[in-house]
Amino acid sequence: SGWRPVAPPTERISPLVRSRCHRDDRGTRVGAIPNPYLCRRHNVSNLCAALAALKLFGGDLRGALAASAGFAPLPHRQQELGLVGGVLAVDDSISTTPESPLAALEVYAGREVTLILGGFDRGIDYGGLLAALARGAAKRVICLDKAGRRIREEAARLPQRPESASF
């Protein structure tokens, strides 16, 4: 079939990123982020927001940070399916807002990615996502369900689409 599984993110992430530290509002080191998935820039922001809320209620920041080691992302959220012909396939079909796949594409910048997206169509403006795709953010885009159908239709009307992007 040509498919080759990819190593789990834990095995591919650099030690520098893996040791990324979280600091509180006074700059005091709380601890390292133990989960490579949470070291992605958009997830660091989410983790910081969760820890800030926990701090407001007097929670244990170090304990919460340690507990984040067991965090598992949702299925279909930046789920790496494997490699075929050197192209990494990432299932991000749970993303029905344009910001979610944009965050995913940022993680894989500079790589040849086949992005699978779609889902329930809430009538959201996909202009920013379409612009990123037109700039070549993904080699291929596979569109699923109602949102995917609309993204495909809107992409077909783009004045500029790189030859490498197929919808």
Side-chain angles (χ1 to χ4, degrees):
S1 71
W3 278 98
R4 185 168 51 95
V6 293
T10 314
E11 296 174 20
R12 291 195 324 269
I13 199 156
S14 74
L16 179 64
V17 172
R18 190 178 306 131
S19 65
R20 190 178 214 164
C21 295
H22 174 74
R23 298 184 182 278
D24 66 14
D25 54 350
R26 286 183 235 122
T28 305
R29 186 179 192 273
V30 174
I33 298 173
N35 185 316
Y37 184 80
L38 295 177
C39 287
R40 296 172 176 189
R41 189 171 76 153
H42 64 284
N43 287 332
V44 169
S45 297
N46 293 336
L47 181 59
C48 287
L51 292 173
L54 182 64
K55 182 179 178 182
L56 285 173
F57 293 102
D60 176 12
L61 296 180
R62 281 185 172 74
L65 194 57
S68 73
F71 174 82
L74 295 169
H76 312 292
R77 182 68 185 114
Q78 294 181 19
Q79 183 178 359
E80 296 179 359
L81 302 175
L83 293 168
V84 63
V87 177
L88 175 64
V90 178
D91 178 355
D92 207 29
S93 60
I94 199 171
S95 300
T96 58
T97 66
E99 294 77 19
S100 295
L102 284 172
L105 290 168
E106 180 181 295
V107 169
Y108 301 106
R111 296 188 62 186
E112 289 191 10
V113 173
T114 295
L115 180 67
I116 302 169
L117 51 76
F120 181 75
D121 188 355
R122 297 185 215 155
I124 297 170
D125 177 14
Y126 290 107
L129 175 60
L130 290 166
L133 295 174
R135 289 190 302 272
K139 182 171 183 172
R140 289 181 186 85
V141 179
I142 298 172
C143 300
L144 304 174
D145 211 10
K146 292 181 182 179
R149 191 168 25 258
R150 186 161 67 91
I151 291 167
R152 180 186 171 101
E153 289 167 0
E154 290 182 21
R157 293 190 294 267
L158 287 174
Q160 298 177 353
R161 277 190 25 222
E163 289 180 33
S164 62
S166 58
F167 290 86

